[in-house]
Amino acid sequence: MSELSFAELGLDPAVLEAVSAVGYETPSPIQAQAIPALLAGNHLLGVAQTGTGKTAAFALPLLSRIDASVTDPQILVLAPTRELAIQVAEAFTTYASKFRNFHVLPIYGGQDFYPQIKGLRRGAQVIVGTPGRMLDHLRKGTLKLDSLKALVLDEADEMLRMGFIDDVEAILAKTPENCQRALFSFPTRRSSDLQIKKVAQTYLRNATEVRIESETRTVERISQFVLPVYAERKLDALTRILEVEPIDAAIIFVRTKAETTMLAEKLSARGHAVAPLSGDLNQRQREQTVEDLKRGKKDIIIATDVAARGLDVSRIT
């Protein structure tokens, strides 16, 4: 942890008050390096793992630089999934809790356009959303970026891996020239490196680079093991593990949307309370599935890695 305190970083007093109310005392390494750079108005290229505090690393300084009395969109955050967009929007709401008449609006696919348009007309200083839906609103003219001061690409490598590069670049091209830009990616995902470098060279010239390499790739209290089996034996092996392990609730990850349904059906036939979770579900169905897991109506979720992003279910063992 950094020896600095949040009070020493130069954050807006209202933001600092919200940070104190949350209970934050000292910034994490990514926050200690990113906050001063973003407060100075620099573009930023951040490389850090999930769980390092990167949302606060860009939210706190960007909130400190906006005019809270102006209701036009001033901060735009692009996220690869609906779940992450909601998670980031909730964080911004917390950090801006001491501002008056301040609004954060998440917009993403799978939700009706009308409430999103209504929210945009009402006014929101921070817009968080997925690239496709964000671009839809820009094309419809319901989202205007004339007053935009900052744009953040959160988990940029994931957005590029999912094929959003054209949407992301179309949105970047519509931002004002003096708009501050920040791009965050994961340190070990090499496949998107060239695309990220291209985006950075085009839209984040002379950016400050902050790279946090973590010695521990996973939380120490998580034990991991690999069980190599032939493909035709995987279901039998998985079933046996579920029989002998003391599991309260679990997430099982598969590669494709089709596999979530197929495996859920097979485990359900074996007596497990299981449900699939993928991008094929609408937002209401996804929220209901997660709620069922939290309440114990389901014990196992079969998910794709993208669909499960941002989940926080305490009973998962």
Side-chain angles (χ1 to χ4, degrees):
M1 296 293 286
S2 168
E3 294 180 1
L4 282 173
S5 68
F6 280 104
E8 295 174 279
L9 292 176
L11 296 170
D12 180 273
V15 174
L16 199 57
E17 188 181 349
V19 168
S20 179
V22 173
Y24 295 171
E25 294 180 358
T26 55
S28 69
I30 184 73
Q31 293 162 2
Q33 294 184 52
I35 288 174
L38 290 173
L39 282 174
N42 299 340
H43 295 324
L44 184 83
L45 181 58
V47 181
Q49 292 178 347
T50 300
T52 53
K54 62 181 173 59
T55 302
F58 62 78
L60 300 180
L62 295 183
L63 284 172
S64 296
R65 299 190 69 231
I66 68 169
D67 184 350
S69 66
V70 176
T71 58
D72 294 336
Q74 296 176 61
I75 299 173
L76 192 70
V77 182
L78 297 181
T81 68
R82 290 174 278 194
E83 287 72 24
L84 184 60
I86 292 168
Q87 184 180 333
V88 171
E90 289 174 347
F92 264 99
T93 301
T94 299
Y95 302 144
S97 60
K98 304 304 177 182
F99 289 139
R100 297 177 112 188
N101 299 318
F102 195 91
H103 298 285
V104 180
L105 181 67
I107 57 176
Y108 44 80
Q111 185 185 47
D112 190 70
F113 270 98
Y114 178 71
Q116 295 177 357
I117 293 172
K118 188 177 179 182
L120 289 167
R121 286 175 179 167
R122 180 191 63 187
Q125 290 90 342
V126 178
I127 309 293
V128 185
T130 50
R133 182 54 63 96
M134 203 82 79
L135 193 55
D136 287 341
H137 281 286
L138 285 170
R139 287 170 173 162
K140 287 175 179 287
T142 48
L143 172 61
K144 300 185 184 301
L145 304 181
D146 300 341
S147 301
L148 196 70
K149 293 187 176 182
L151 180 140
V152 178
L153 304 181
D154 193 12
E155 301 204 1
D157 54 326
E158 188 68 18
M159 280 191 281
L160 301 185
R161 187 184 71 80
M162 293 168 66
F164 289 140
I165 180 63
D166 292 339
D167 289 351
V168 168
E169 291 199 306
I171 293 167
L172 281 165
K174 292 178 181 292
T175 59
E177 271 193 37
N178 62 348
C179 175
Q180 185 179 16
R181 300 181 179 101
L183 183 156
F184 286 85
S185 67
F186 199 78
T188 57
R189 294 174 185 166
R190 302 298 179 195
S191 59
S192 300
D193 275 1
L194 291 177
Q195 285 182 313
I196 286 175
K197 285 178 181 177
K198 180 190 169 192
V199 170
Q201 287 169 358
T202 306
Y203 299 100
L204 286 86
R205 291 179 182 173
N206 302 316
T208 300
E209 184 169 343
V210 175
R211 183 175 291 270
I212 305 298
E213 298 286 359
S214 177
E215 294 180 4
T216 307
R217 296 276 302 279
T218 56
V219 179
E220 289 181 1
R221 62 191 178 89
I222 297 177
S223 57
Q224 303 180 74
F225 65 89
V226 177
L227 179 61
V229 294
Y230 290 110
E232 62 269 20
R233 298 295 304 276
K234 279 203 300 184
L235 180 60
D236 290 339
L238 176 59
T239 302
R240 183 64 178 146
I241 289 170
L242 294 174
E243 288 172 350
V244 300
E245 284 289 321
I247 294 170
D248 185 17
I251 299 180
I252 298 174
F253 289 100
V254 294
R255 193 165 54 90
T256 66
K257 297 175 184 178
E259 286 175 301
T260 64
T261 303
M262 181 177 67
L263 185 55
E265 289 174 351
K266 290 180 178 178
L267 289 181
S268 180
R270 285 162 171 77
H272 295 285
V274 58
L277 182 67
S278 74
D280 283 345
L281 303 180
N282 63 41
Q283 188 61 24
R284 187 191 63 77
Q285 290 171 321
R286 288 149 77 101
E287 290 171 356
Q288 185 61 55
T289 298
V290 175
E291 190 63 25
D292 286 348
L293 186 66
K294 288 180 177 179
R295 293 176 176 269
K297 293 182 179 179
K298 300 292 183 184
D299 295 327
I300 300 171
I301 295 296
I302 315 296
T304 56
D305 61 343
V306 172
R309 183 150 310 218
L311 291 189
D312 182 12
V313 181
S314 59
R315 63 182 289 256
I316 292 175
T317 48

